[in-house]
Amino acid sequence: MAILSAPITRDRGRELSRAAATGVLLYRNYLVYRRGWIIFLTGFFEPVLYLLSIGIGVGKLVHGFDVGGRSVPYADFVAPGMLAASAMNGAIFDTTFNVFFKLKYQKLYDQVLSTPRTTSDVARGEITWALLRGGIYSAAFLLVMLALGLVHSWWAVLALPAALLIGFGFGGIGMALTTWMRSWQDFEFITLGTLPLFLFSATFFPVSAFPEWLQWVVQCTPLYRGVVLCRELTTGQVGIGSMVSVVYLLVLGVIGTRIVSRRLSVLLLT
């Protein structure tokens, strides 16, 4: 009778630190993907094919562009852009389509929140996983760049942390936007946003090709900050602008993470 009359409350269980709670979500994702590792190859081959076809193929027709006052071959110009784009794609894919399925259909987060975990734990865990996925793509692509002789500075050792920072920024914003999605059709807006970023964020040609007013718009976009940061690191043209990009992407990720936590509280706890 005592059991029947006991109030139904949220199980408090064993409290965990933030790092440990994040690790629980990471381990859960690892268990899901450990037999489907081949999925990760798709995010790696896409930028490599772009690099081979556009960076090296078209590079035979284009002499190169100026980076920090120094002319670099076209393949060297495009490769860092592909590195940043691969980090973006890995983070965006995981925090949009996958998170939407878990939120709306699998009801995974309802189950997680019935334990001592919080919405902040969910946000940190999923965004960290997306960051790591983008980092895997970027690390493999960076090795390809190194093998092709497209890395010309020891600053390039920071290109991988820079890619993780790009993944953090896009992962936070991507998951935040997903909390407002109502159906799969809404993801057309994600493509509508990421495709122009991919094409026009100085990925394939300098931002100076645009009218001056449009240059200012492009320079305020997150992928542009990621592209120029990776390009500055791989070519050794590091300056104060590199720190601006770091702060920009870091703030973007923090804002996205906080929005996710609050939105999940509204969706799942009210």
Side-chain angles (χ1 to χ4, degrees):
M1 292 298 295
I3 295 177
L4 293 176
S5 61
I8 299 175
T9 60
R10 184 171 179 264
D11 178 22
R12 298 303 301 170
R14 183 169 63 92
E15 297 292 345
L16 298 177
S17 66
R18 290 184 177 183
T22 301
V24 170
L25 269 295
L26 291 179
Y27 184 64
R28 185 263 173 196
N29 282 318
Y30 162 74
L31 292 178
V32 170
Y33 281 99
R34 63 178 177 174
R35 297 185 184 277
W37 59 267
I38 196 169
I39 296 175
F40 286 79
L41 294 180
T42 59
F44 164 70
F45 279 117
E46 182 180 356
V48 170
L49 294 176
Y50 269 109
L51 176 61
L52 295 177
S53 62
I54 297 178
I56 296 178
V58 177
K60 299 294 183 181
L61 307 175
V62 180
H63 295 296
F65 293 118
D66 179 83
V67 176
R70 182 168 67 90
S71 179
V72 299
Y74 187 63
D76 296 33
F77 181 87
V78 171
M82 294 295 95
L83 175 64
S86 65
M88 176 190 75
N89 290 334
I92 282 289
F93 182 85
D94 218 284
T95 56
T96 54
F97 293 96
N98 290 349
V99 165
F100 183 78
F101 177 76
K102 295 173 186 176
L103 178 64
K104 298 293 186 179
Y105 295 93
Q106 196 176 26
K107 301 297 182 181
L108 174 66
Y109 304 136
D110 296 83
Q111 301 169 46
V112 171
L113 294 177
S114 67
T115 72
R117 307 293 77 79
T118 66
T119 56
S120 295
D121 294 332
V122 172
R124 285 192 299 269
E126 292 293 358
I127 292 172
T128 302
W129 174 257
L131 182 153
L132 293 177
R133 182 171 182 171
I136 291 173
Y137 294 163
S138 301
F141 187 78
L142 192 58
L143 291 177
V144 172
M145 289 177 59
L146 189 63
L148 294 175
L150 302 177
V151 176
H152 304 284
S153 171
W154 285 104
W155 281 105
V157 298
L158 298 178
L160 182 56
L164 293 176
L165 192 58
I166 295 168
F168 178 53
F170 276 99
I173 293 301
M175 190 170 177
L177 292 175
T178 301
T179 61
W180 274 283
M181 298 296 177
R182 299 161 298 178
S183 67
W184 294 109
Q185 285 71 28
D186 288 340
F187 284 93
E188 295 294 336
F189 295 109
I190 299 295
T191 303
L192 183 63
T194 56
L195 185 58
L197 287 178
F198 175 68
L199 294 175
F200 303 114
S201 296
T203 314
F204 301 106
F205 50 86
V207 71
S208 58
F210 298 122
E212 186 174 354
W213 67 269
L214 188 54
Q215 293 181 32
W216 284 99
V217 174
V218 172
Q219 290 171 7
C220 292
T221 60
L223 184 58
Y224 173 82
R225 304 312 321 177
V227 167
V228 296
L229 177 60
C230 290
R231 187 169 290 141
E232 288 163 352
L233 292 170
T234 56
T235 59
Q237 304 299 311
V238 179
I240 190 65
S242 305
M243 185 55 64
V244 172
S245 298
V246 169
V247 173
Y248 179 105
L249 293 169
L250 183 62
V251 171
L252 185 69
V254 170
I255 291 174
T257 303
R258 291 186 176 181
I259 292 175
V260 170
S261 179
R262 292 179 181 178
R263 284 289 299 161
L264 289 179
S265 296
V266 171
L267 293 172
L268 303 175
L269 298 180
T270 58

